[in-house]
Amino acid sequence: MDSTWINQLLQRDSNVLVFVNVLLQQLGLPVPSVPTMVLAASQSTGLMALATMLLAAVLASLVADWIWYAAGRRFGYRVLALLCKMSINPSSCVNQTEARFTKWGVWSLVFGKFIPGFATVAPPVAGALGMAPSSFFMASAMGAGLWAGMALLAGYAFQAQIDGALAWMTAHGIHLTLIGIALVATVIGWKYWQKARFERLAAIQHIDMDAFTQALAGPRPPHIIDLRSHSLALDAGFIPNAHLTEYSALAQSLAGVDKDYPIVTICACPQDAGAVQAAQNLQKLGYRNAYPLRGGFDAWKAAQA
C-alpha cells in the first residue's frame, strides 16, 4: 500500500478537500471533517497555507450554517423536527436543542461545534427563534474559526508524528484495512441495535386522537402534559388546559394528581419519542394510566382544523 498519493492529495487539493468535507458534515452528513483537517494540516508547507485551509473550513461552515439558519427562519421548528428524525434516539431532540440554545444564547453557536450533533441543529433553532442575522453570522464565524483552528493547529503541530503514522499505515495497510472494516461494521451494528432498542421502547400503548377527544368531553378529562418548550408553544400554539412541563420536572407537575387518574403526554418529537419516554417514566412512578398521544402535537393541531 503506497501512501504517496494520499500525501499528494493533501498537499495539492487540501483546500478543496477541507471545504467539501466541512460543508458536507455541517449540512448533516455523517462524514467527520476533523480527521481530514488534521491530516491536511500535517502536510501544510507553512502558516500561510494553514491560514488558507482555515479560511476554506470557516467559509464552508458558514455556508452550511446559513442554509440551516435561513431554513429555520422560513419553516420554523419543522426543520428541526426533520433533523431529529435522522437521530438514532430522537427522544427529546427538539427540547434538548432549544434548552441549550436558550440557556447559552449566542455562545451556543460559538462552542456548539464541539458538541456532536448540536452543530447542525443549532442554526435552525437560531433562525426559528428569530436571532438577528448579524449576531448569528458573527457567532457562527467565531465558532467555526475556533473549532477548525484547533484541528488545523493540532495537525500542524504534530506533523512528524502524523508522517510516522502514515508510514506505519503504509507498511501495515492490509491489516489496518481489515481492522477498519471491522470497526465500521461494529459502529453500524451498534447504531442499528440502538435504533431497534428505541423502537421496542416506543411500542408502549398510545391513545389515539379520537379517544383523546372523547376523554376530554367525559367526566374525567385527562391531565395533559405538554412537553414542548415555551418558545415552541409560542411559535406553534398552545394546547388548552395543558401543562407545559420539562422532562426533568414531570413528577413535580403532578402534585395533587391521583395515581389512577388518566394522563396524556404530548410532544412535537419524531415517533412521539419524548411523549413515550415521559409516559414510561410516569408509569414507573405508579401513574398507571399515563399514555402518549399518537401523532403528538401535529395530530392535535390537525384535529382542530
Side-chain angles (χ1 to χ4, degrees):
M1 178 179 177
D2 187 4
S3 64
T4 303
W5 70 273
I6 298 178
N7 297 332
Q8 292 176 346
L9 175 64
L10 293 172
Q11 292 173 356
R12 185 182 65 247
D13 302 316
S14 58
N15 295 331
V16 175
L17 188 63
V18 167
F19 180 90
V20 172
N21 200 169
V22 171
L23 178 65
L24 293 178
Q25 180 187 341
Q26 296 304 304
L27 286 174
L29 274 67
V31 283
S33 57
V34 170
T36 300
M37 289 190 286
V38 171
L39 282 174
S42 72
Q43 303 301 311
S44 175
T45 55
L47 293 178
M48 185 58 67
L50 199 67
T52 306
M53 284 185 219
L54 178 61
L55 180 61
V58 171
L59 181 60
S61 182
L62 286 175
V63 169
D65 286 353
W66 192 260
I67 290 173
W68 285 123
Y69 172 79
R73 287 181 69 91
R74 175 67 177 83
F75 301 106
Y77 281 87
R78 284 176 290 175
V79 176
L80 187 59
L82 174 64
L83 286 171
C84 289
K85 284 182 180 179
M86 297 186 290
S87 173
I88 291 296
N89 184 8
S91 57
S92 53
C93 177
V94 174
N95 301 69
Q96 287 179 351
T97 300
E98 191 194 30
R100 285 173 175 166
F101 188 87
T102 303
K103 181 179 180 180
W104 300 339
V106 171
W107 294 107
S108 65
L109 293 170
V110 176
F111 297 107
K113 299 292 183 187
F114 298 93
I115 303 175
F118 186 75
T120 303
V121 295
V125 170
L129 292 179
M131 186 177 186
S134 57
S135 298
F136 172 81
F137 187 85
M138 290 180 61
S140 182
M142 288 176 59
L146 184 62
W147 167 70
M150 291 184 66
L152 292 171
L153 284 175
Y156 188 75
F158 294 99
Q159 284 183 324
Q161 291 82 352
I162 294 174
D163 285 342
L166 288 175
W168 186 83
M169 289 172 62
T170 301
H172 302 82
I174 296 178
H175 295 91
L176 287 175
T177 300
L178 294 176
I179 293 174
I181 292 174
L183 288 174
V184 170
T186 301
V187 171
I188 293 175
W190 170 253
K191 289 185 177 295
Y192 272 105
W193 178 85
Q194 284 185 309
K195 186 174 181 63
R197 179 176 177 271
F198 171 76
E199 290 175 350
R200 288 196 302 271
L201 293 175
I204 186 177
Q205 180 180 345
H206 288 58
I207 181 171
D208 293 324
M209 192 62 214
D210 291 341
F212 180 49
T213 302
Q214 294 176 5
L216 289 174
R220 299 181 75 199
H223 182 87
I224 307 171
I225 296 180
D226 186 351
L227 294 160
R228 298 174 301 151
S229 66
H230 188 267
S231 298
L232 180 52
L234 283 174
D235 179 69
F238 291 89
I239 300 174
N241 302 316
H243 302 267
L244 279 175
T245 306
E246 296 182 0
Y247 290 88
S248 59
L250 279 175
Q252 296 89 318
S253 69
L254 293 172
V257 178
D258 294 336
K259 290 293 181 71
D260 64 344
Y261 197 83
I263 300 171
V264 174
T265 58
I266 302 175
C267 72
C269 307
Q271 298 176 270
D272 308 324
V276 167
Q277 181 182 16
Q280 288 175 332
N281 291 339
L282 290 176
Q283 289 182 8
K284 291 177 182 178
L285 291 173
Y287 295 94
R288 302 182 291 276
N289 296 318
Y291 301 106
L293 175 65
R294 190 180 304 279
F297 177 75
D298 289 340
W300 180 85
K301 190 173 183 179
Q304 312 311 307

